[in-house]
Amino acid sequence: MRRLGARRGAPREASEPSAAPALAGDRSAKARLATLLLALLLAATLIVALGTGPALLSPRAVAAILLAGPKGEVASLADTVIVWQIRLPRVLLGALVGASLGLVGAMMQGLFRNPLADPGLIGVSSGAAFAAVATIVLSGSVLAPFAAALGLYALPVSAFGGGLAATLLIYRVGTRAGQSSVALILLAGIALGAFAAAGTGFLVYLSNDNQLRDLTFWSLGGLGGATWAKLWAGLPMMGAALLAAPFLARGLNGIVLGEAEAYHLGIRVQRLKRLTIVIVALATGAAVAVSGTIGFVGIVVPHLLRLWFGPDHRHLLPNAALGGAVLLLVADMAARTLVAPAELPIGILTAALGAPVFLWILLRRRGLAGL
Amino acid sequence: MRTPVAALLLALLAVPASAEPLPTRVVSIGGAITEVLYALGEDKRIAAVDTTSVYPPAALSEKPNVGYMRGLSAEGVLSLSPDLILMEDGAGPKEAVALIDAAGVPVRHVPSGYSVPDLLQKMRLVAAAVGRDEEGEALAQRMAGELEALRGDLAEIKSKRRVLFLLSVADGRANAAGHGTGADAVIRLAGAENVFGDMEGYKMLSPESAAALKPDVILMLDRAGPGGGDPLAIPALAATPAGQAGAVIRMDAAYLLGFGPRTPAALRDLAVRLYPDAGLGASLVR
C-alpha cells in the first residue's frame, strides 16, 4: 500500500523531518516502550473493567460467563445479562470511543500545529452534537424518511455530517493563504459552538418533556446506553478512522515545519488536510453519536505522550489511541462505581480531570508565539 | 451470585401469603410506588428507591438509591439482586430499561396517568405486586370515596377560579404548565380552570401572554432555590388579578404532584385554599 502522504515522483526523503533529529533514536526507543506499556495497560484495563461494576461478580464468575457465551447458563440470567449485554458492549464501546477521541485530538493538533486544538474546543463536537440532537428530536417528523432509511445508523451518520460541516467551516475561516491561524480557528470554533448551541436550544424548545430529559442526559456524555447495536453502529466509522490514521503520520510530521516546507518535502498538503479533516469528522461524529460529548481526552492524552517521547506522529497517533482508550475506560469505571447503584455522566469526570490539565498547558505555553 | 445474609433471613422470616413466595428485594422506581409500599407497611421489602422517592423522608435516608428515575444505570439496578422491580412509566433511558427487562428479573411497569382511574389502578397494582391485593383494593376504595366527596363539595361552586401553575420562576421568566401535565390534572380535580390549558406540556411563558391569561391564583411548588423565585416580582404577573390580590399558593412538590396515596388529601387542601369561603373544611397544610 502506497503511503497517502507521498507525492508520485517526488524524491524520497532519506530522513523523516522531526522536531529534534539528534534525539530521534532515543525517542523512537522510548516510543516503542510506550506502545508496549500502553498496550499491556489497555489489556489489563479491559479485563479489570469487565470485572468491576456495581454488581459484585468474582473474576472467575465473569470469565465463566464469558466462556459460556451470551446464551450460556453457568450463572443466573441477570448475571449473564450484566456481563454479556451490559459490561462487554460498554467496555468495548468505551475503548473504541476513547481511542477515537485520543487519536482525533492528536491529529487536529498536528494539522493546526497547536497542542490545544481539540474537537471539543473548536466546535466540531458541537456541530456533531447539534446534528445528533436534531435527529433525536425530529426523527418523528421532518427527518422521518432519513431516520427510517438509515435506522440505527441515522444518528452516527448525521453526527458525522454535522462534525464534517463544522470542521470544514472552521478550517476555511481559520486558514489564510495556506497558513492556519490558531487564534482565528479558536474564535471560529467559539462562534460555531454558539451557533450550534442556538440551534440545539431551538430543538430543545420544540421537544416534548420526555425528549428534553433524554437530551439533557445525553448531552452530559456517557457510556450508560452502550448496547451491541450501538457498538456495531459506531464501529465502521471509528474503525475506519483508526485504521486510516497511521497512513497520514508522515504527512502530519511534515506539516509541523509549515505547509510550504511540507510541499517541498513531497507531501501533498491539500490532500493531507482534506483526509485529516474527514477522518477527524468521522471519528468525532461517530463518538458523539454513541456517547454524547466527552471532552478533554483528546487534549490530555496526546500532551502527556509528547512530554514522554516527543511529537513524532508515527508514534503519537497509535499511542494516543491506546492512551485514550485506557483513560476513558478508567473514567467510565469511576462513573459506574462512585455513586453505585446510580451512575455519573462521564463527561463531568473527563472535564473535571481535563480542564485543569488544559489550564496547566496554557500556563506552560504563556509567552510562546501563536497564542 | 451475591446472596446477602439479610435477604436470606428475610426470606426465611417472610410468611408466604400465597403459593408463590413474595418478593423480598423490591427496587421501587417512582415516588408514588415507594409511597404505596410505605403506606402498606411493606417498606422492609424495599431494597432500593430512586431520587423521586422523597416521601416518607425515611425512604431517602434509609434505602440505597439508584439515582434519578430517568437516568438509571441498568447494572446498578440489577446489582441489588432484586427479585422484583417496580417502575413507573417514564423511567429511562430506554436502553437501560430494555436491559433491565431482558435480565430475567420480574419487572412490573406501573402506568403513571393523571386520571382518577389511573391513580386508583396504580394503588391496586403496587399492592398486588407485594401480595397485598385486599389492602390495595381497600386503599383504592377509600381514596375513591374521598375524591367523590370532594367532587360533590365542589359541585356547589358556581364560578371556577382561574389558576396558572408555574413550575419555576427564574430571572424573570416563568415556566408554566399546559395540558397533559400533572399540574393541569390537579388544578382540574380541585375544581379550578388551568388558564394555560391550551398549551401542551411545560412551556416558557411570555410576560405579555401572562397578563392576557388573567389568572386569579398563581400555584407554585414550595421549595427553595432559584426556580422558586417570587412570581409577583415579574411586572406582567403582578398586574394580573392574582398579582393584585397577592394570591400565590405554594405546595410541596411530592404532595401536590406525586399522584400517590396522599393525592386525595392534597387535592382537598388545594381546593380549600382556592375556595376558602366554600366551607370545604380546614386545610391540612401547616
Side-chain angles (χ1 to χ4, degrees):
Chain A
M1 175 135 189
R2 215 169 49 77
R3 275 191 297 193
L4 294 170
R7 202 165 69 231
R8 212 188 303 272
R12 275 288 162 94
E13 288 302 305
S15 65
E16 296 284 351
S18 128
L23 293 169
D26 176 38
R27 283 183 157 177
S28 290
K30 260 193 190 165
R32 275 194 290 276
L33 176 69
T35 309
L36 179 71
L37 288 176
L38 283 173
L40 289 174
L41 189 60
L42 178 58
T45 311
L46 280 167
I47 291 165
V48 174
L50 269 177
T52 39
L56 294 172
L57 291 165
S58 69
R60 187 181 301 178
V62 173
I65 292 170
L66 282 174
L67 290 172
K71 296 271 182 283
E73 294 185 350
V74 291
S76 71
L77 179 59
D79 288 350
T80 307
V81 166
I82 284 172
V83 172
W84 271 98
Q85 305 302 328
I86 297 177
R87 279 191 200 169
L88 190 59
R90 181 173 186 152
V91 164
L92 294 175
L93 194 72
L96 191 63
V97 168
S100 300
L101 293 175
L103 177 84
V104 296
M107 287 182 77
M108 287 205 105
Q109 288 144 26
L111 182 69
F112 292 140
R113 293 196 292 282
N114 188 291
L116 295 176
D118 174 77
L121 279 178
I122 64 168
V124 181
S125 298
S126 34
F130 167 68
V133 169
T135 309
I136 291 174
V137 175
L138 302 176
S139 61
S141 52
V142 185
L143 295 176
F146 166 75
L150 287 168
L152 199 58
Y153 294 93
L155 204 56
V157 168
S158 66
F160 162 64
L164 184 65
T167 320
L168 287 172
L169 187 76
I170 292 162
Y171 199 83
R172 277 287 148 79
V173 172
T175 311
R176 263 188 319 204
Q179 289 295 315
S180 304
S181 148
V182 173
L184 267 179
I185 281 173
L186 282 177
L187 292 171
I190 290 169
L192 192 87
F195 187 66
T200 309
F202 181 66
L203 290 164
V204 164
Y205 168 77
L206 288 181
S207 63
N208 63 34
D209 291 353
N210 286 334
Q211 286 171 327
L212 190 59
R213 293 185 179 109
D214 286 351
L215 288 179
T216 308
F217 276 95
W218 181 86
S219 65
L220 291 170
L223 298 163
T227 55
W228 286 108
K230 269 195 187 173
L231 184 66
W232 299 134
L235 183 65
M237 282 157 62
M238 287 189 267
L242 288 164
L243 290 175
F247 295 101
L248 302 182
R250 187 177 160 273
L252 287 170
N253 278 350
I255 286 266
V256 169
L257 305 172
E259 290 183 14
E261 292 82 349
Y263 183 81
H264 291 299
L265 287 170
I267 292 165
R268 294 173 158 196
V269 174
Q270 283 308 324
R271 196 169 92 161
L272 175 83
K273 287 201 294 198
R274 271 201 298 274
L275 280 170
T276 305
I277 286 173
V278 168
I279 288 177
V280 164
L282 263 178
T284 307
V288 165
V290 295
S291 60
T293 42
I294 299 174
F296 294 103
V297 175
I299 289 186
V300 174
V301 174
H303 188 74
L304 295 176
L305 292 173
R306 278 191 214 94
L307 290 179
W308 190 358
F309 55 72
D312 186 339
H313 286 89
R314 289 169 307 170
H315 304 306
L316 188 63
L317 298 185
N319 284 313
L322 288 172
V326 171
L327 179 65
L328 200 63
L329 283 175
V330 171
D332 188 47
M333 269 192 269
R336 285 188 291 149
T337 50
L338 282 178
V339 293
E343 191 171 300
L344 277 173
I346 200 171
I348 297 174
L349 285 169
T350 54
L353 293 169
V357 176
F358 182 71
L359 278 174
W360 173 66
I361 302 172
L362 276 181
L363 289 173
R364 288 185 63 234
R365 289 178 50 85
R366 258 191 326 197
L368 294 182
L371 259 176
Chain B
M1 186 72 218
R2 184 180 61 151
T3 332
V5 181
L8 247 167
L9 287 176
L10 270 178
L12 292 172
L13 292 172
V15 183
S18 61
E20 54 185 88
L22 290 174
T24 54
R25 292 189 57 78
V26 181
V27 177
S28 169
I29 299 167
I33 295 175
T34 306
E35 260 193 66
V36 177
L37 292 175
Y38 270 86
L40 295 171
E42 294 288 354
D43 45 294
K44 62 182 179 301
R45 297 188 187 280
I46 300 179
V49 296
D50 72 316
T51 53
T52 67
S53 302
V54 295
Y55 189 88
L60 273 188
S61 57
E62 287 172 1
K63 303 289 184 183
N65 204 299
V66 296
Y68 182 48
M69 67 181 285
R70 296 176 215 285
L72 297 172
S73 150
E75 190 182 336
V77 172
L78 295 173
S79 72
L80 298 153
S81 323
D83 50 10
L84 174 66
I85 296 165
L86 290 172
M87 218 186 277
E88 262 191 89
D89 279 356
K94 288 191 298 287
E95 296 97 342
V97 173
L99 287 166
I100 292 169
D101 279 338
V105 177
V107 181
R108 299 292 292 277
H109 291 273
V110 180
S112 59
Y114 299 132
S115 71
V116 171
D118 284 341
L119 172 68
L120 301 179
Q121 191 54 25
K122 193 193 291 182
M123 303 301 113
R124 295 189 189 101
L125 263 179
V126 176
V130 292
R132 302 288 298 272
D133 304 59
E134 285 172 25
E135 289 86 345
E137 187 54 44
L139 176 63
Q141 294 290 352
R142 193 176 75 233
M143 288 167 63
E146 289 172 20
L147 291 166
E148 194 49 46
L150 176 65
R151 232 166 52 116
D153 293 349
L154 289 167
E156 312 285 309
I157 286 158
K158 296 290 172 285
S159 73
K160 290 190 171 185
R161 304 296 298 274
R162 297 168 53 78
V163 180
L164 175 65
F165 177 88
L166 299 180
L167 185 63
S168 66
V169 178
D171 57 355
R173 297 192 313 161
N175 196 350
H179 71 82
T181 59
D184 180 73
V186 296
I187 290 169
R188 283 183 294 101
L189 288 169
E193 181 192 344
N194 179 8
V195 293
F196 201 59
D198 295 342
M199 299 295 285
E200 192 191 347
Y202 290 96
K203 289 276 182 295
M204 278 293 172
L205 183 71
S206 77
E208 277 181 43
S209 57
L213 292 173
K214 297 199 177 57
D216 302 321
V217 177
I218 291 169
L219 178 60
M220 290 187 72
L221 298 177
D222 170 16
R223 54 164 185 226
D230 180 12
L232 303 186
I234 301 175
L237 288 177
T240 61
Q244 299 292 310
V248 178
I249 298 178
R250 289 177 185 269
M251 285 177 75
D252 176 75
Y255 183 55
L256 181 67
L257 301 179
F259 286 86
R262 296 182 300 154
T263 293
L267 289 172
R268 182 163 287 270
D269 270 347
L270 177 59
V272 167
R273 295 174 74 180
L274 286 170
Y275 303 106
D277 306 328
L280 293 169
S283 167
L284 305 171
V285 178
R286 285 166 301 283

